[in-house]
């Protein structure tokens, strides 16, 4: 049952600041993504297909008009992202596993949130991956919106590893599309020479986290490895990030993957974890609340049930990792930096919570 959160505020130690974790809402059914609306309310996706607004601790009834989703395995209603001009256009984007002939595949829909917030209007699918399958895993897929309004999103290999190396297959890729679904002219295969025009980069196993650094426009992703080999990458156009040719992990059977950890023509990760933490989302911190975190990467994790804070230098090299909330709130599904600089987290599962991480007064 959806309910307002209790006043169970906890203080959490950190190396550079004391943090408070405050529940905003509880009782969310497998929440997957959260965004902040202009008035400070939150819009949240639930994996089985519901889109809700959380305001004053209360979650709304499901918003009507959400596309039908294939809520199976890791599929369902996934990310939500607000257009840069949302405050006037009310346009938002959803990623989801769309049912179709042959199974399901990751898709993107564009829609307008009605003025009364009860329905989606002008709903249009602007992208669907080119090869559907009955496999139930590795759909990706979050959205990052660039300064020009274009969309970056990731799709996993759909459990069929070789697809991540096929430039004529959307699986295992970071994709780049315009907000109407057309192809940006700066895509590496925009002229159809060598690969599908939507593809930005290849060789990704299952990128479930994606963000753009608001300071310099750098694209940053985080993706699941197998047994080890979770990766942070800065995807560049036309580059190949190696899966399944190179990896810092092993197959679940214990067998070696591909040709080892490096090979010509395949990019090295900016950072990797072994053993895997199962990263679910990533955010670049550029908020005012924690100036000592400026430029840090925040990575939510499922298996290890933590928030990783990665410190970087000015060139983007990752220098150190701090692990926060270790096991305190269970599996963490999403992380977002709110406009006031606080950090929003979603917990995974049938009784999911929306949490707000903010600064303890004593740490100013």
């Amino acid at each position: 049952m959806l309910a307002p959160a209790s006043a169970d505020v906890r203080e959490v130690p950190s190396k550079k600041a004391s943090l408070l974790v405050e529940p905003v809402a509880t009782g969310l059914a497998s929440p997957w993504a959260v965004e902040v609306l202009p008035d400070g309310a939150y819009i949240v996706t639930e994996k089985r297909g519901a889109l809700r607004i959380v305001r004053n601790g209360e979650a709304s009834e499901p918003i009507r008009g959400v596309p039908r989703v294939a809520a199976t395995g890791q599929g369902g209603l996934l990310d939500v992202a607000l257009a840069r001009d949302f405050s006037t256009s009310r346009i938002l984007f959803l990623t989801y596993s769309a049912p179709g002939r042959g199974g399901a595949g990751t898709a993107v829909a564009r829609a307008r949130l009605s003025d009364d917030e009860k329905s989606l209007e002008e709903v249009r699918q602007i992208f669907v991956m080119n090869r559907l399958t009955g496999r139930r895993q590795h759909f990706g897929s979050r959205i990052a919106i660039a300064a020009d309004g274009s969309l970056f999103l990731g799709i996993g290999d759909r459990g069929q590893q070789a697809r991540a190396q096929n430039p004529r297959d959307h699986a295992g890729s970071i994709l780049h599309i315009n907000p109407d679904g057309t192809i940006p002219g700066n895509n590496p295969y925009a002229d159809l020479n060598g690969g599908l025009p939507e593809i930005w980069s290849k060789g990704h196993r299952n990128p479930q986290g994606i963000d753009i650094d608001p300071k310099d426009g750098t694209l940053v992703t985080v993706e699941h490895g197998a047994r080890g080999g979770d990766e942070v990458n800065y995807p560049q156009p036309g580059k190949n990030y190696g899966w399944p040719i190179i990896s810092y992990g092993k197959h679940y059977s214990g067998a070696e993957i591909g040709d080892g950890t490096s090979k010509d023509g395949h990019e090295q990760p900016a950072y990797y974890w072994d053993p895997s933490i199962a990263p679910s989302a990533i955010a670049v911190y550029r908020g005012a609340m924690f100036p000592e975190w400026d430029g840090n990467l925040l990575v939510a994790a499922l298996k290890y049930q933590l928030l990783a804070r990665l410190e970087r230098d000015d060139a983007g090299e990752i220098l150190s990792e701090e692990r926060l909330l270790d096991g305190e709130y269970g599996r963490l599904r999403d992380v977002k930096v709110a406009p006031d600089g606080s950090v929003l987290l979603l917990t995974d599962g049938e009784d999911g919570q929306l949490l707000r991480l903010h600064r303890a007064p004593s740490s100013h």
Side-chain angles (χ1 to χ4, degrees), residues 187-233:
N187 278 10
Y189 309 115
D191 60 1
L192 302 178
N193 184 22
L196 293 176
E198 297 88 359
I199 289 176
W200 183 258
S201 59
K202 286 292 291 183
H204 302 278
R205 184 175 181 270
N206 189 27
Q208 277 196 342
I210 188 166
D211 198 11
I212 293 173
D213 189 338
K215 182 177 180 179
D216 60 14
T218 299
L219 181 68
V220 57
T221 62
V222 70
E223 63 186 84
H224 292 266
R227 276 180 48 185
D230 300 338
E231 295 183 359
V232 173
N233 286 301

Side-chain angles (χ1 to χ4, degrees), residues 226-293:
R227 276 180 48 185
D230 300 338
E231 295 183 359
V232 173
N233 286 301
Y234 301 128
Q236 298 292 310
K239 299 289 188 181
N240 189 317
Y241 290 81
W243 178 259
I245 306 301
I246 62 171
S247 174
Y248 283 89
K250 294 184 178 182
H251 290 297
Y252 295 118
S253 66
E256 298 294 328
I257 293 172
D259 298 332
T261 58
S262 65
K263 188 174 183 179
D264 287 349
H266 301 277
E267 305 302 311
Q268 286 292 300
Y271 191 78
Y272 70 91
W273 287 269
D274 185 14
S276 294
I277 63 170
S280 59
I282 193 167
V284 181
Y285 191 86
R286 293 292 184 188
M289 188 172 289
F290 301 105
E292 57 274 83
W293 288 5

Side-chain angles (χ1 to χ4, degrees), residues 4 8 17 25 27 37 46 87 89 139 155 194 198 215 227 243 261 274 333 336 347:
D8 182 21
L37 295 172
E46 293 177 331
S87 60
S89 72
F139 292 91
I155 298 179
E198 297 88 359
K215 182 177 180 179
R227 276 180 48 185
W243 178 259
T261 58
D274 185 14
R333 175 55 75 179
K336 289 280 168 52
T347 68

Side-chain angles (χ1 to χ4, degrees), residues 11 30-31 159 172 186 304 326 354:
E11 187 161 353
S30 297
N186 63 340
Y304 271 35
D326 200 350
L354 172 59

Side-chain angles (χ1 to χ4, degrees), residues 12-172:
V12 176
S14 173
K15 291 178 180 177
K16 290 194 171 179
S18 292
L19 314 174
L20 296 178
V21 181
E22 177 183 4
V24 175
T26 62
L28 298 165
S30 297
W32 214 90
V34 60
E35 281 279 9
V36 184
L37 295 172
D39 68 351
Y42 309 99
I43 188 164
V44 177
T45 63
E46 293 177 331
K47 192 160 157 286
R48 284 200 296 268
L51 182 66
R52 302 180 191 271
I53 291 175
V54 174
R55 182 175 281 112
N56 300 322
E58 300 274 357
S60 71
E61 290 299 309
I63 294 169
R64 299 186 300 272
V66 173
R68 187 165 68 95
V69 306
T72 178
Q74 295 172 1
L77 182 59
L78 304 175
D79 205 16
V80 58
L82 307 182
R84 288 192 167 270
D85 63 352
F86 177 86
S87 60
T88 54
S89 72
R90 303 188 66 78
I91 297 295
L92 56 77
F93 302 92
L94 300 169
T95 60
Y96 56 102
S97 54
R101 180 172 295 182
T106 305
V108 181
R110 170 192 171 110
R112 181 185 181 275
L113 180 65
S114 65
D115 292 340
D116 64 7
E117 299 181 335
K118 293 184 177 179
S119 64
L120 296 182
E121 303 169 343
E122 304 166 21
V123 181
R124 182 163 64 90
Q125 187 181 89
I126 60 171
F127 169 82
V128 64
M129 67 185 304
N130 65 330
R131 181 180 158 200
L132 308 188
T133 176
R135 297 289 185 101
R136 292 154 43 94
Q137 70 264 50
H138 299 184
F139 292 91
S141 173
R142 298 194 186 275
I143 300 169
I145 300 183
D148 65 0
S150 62
L151 279 58
F152 287 90
L153 64 142
I155 298 179
D157 66 7
R158 299 304 323 285
Q160 298 167 313
Q161 297 170 14
R163 296 180 64 181
Q165 288 295 319
N166 183 352
R168 301 288 181 183
D169 192 325
H170 289 129

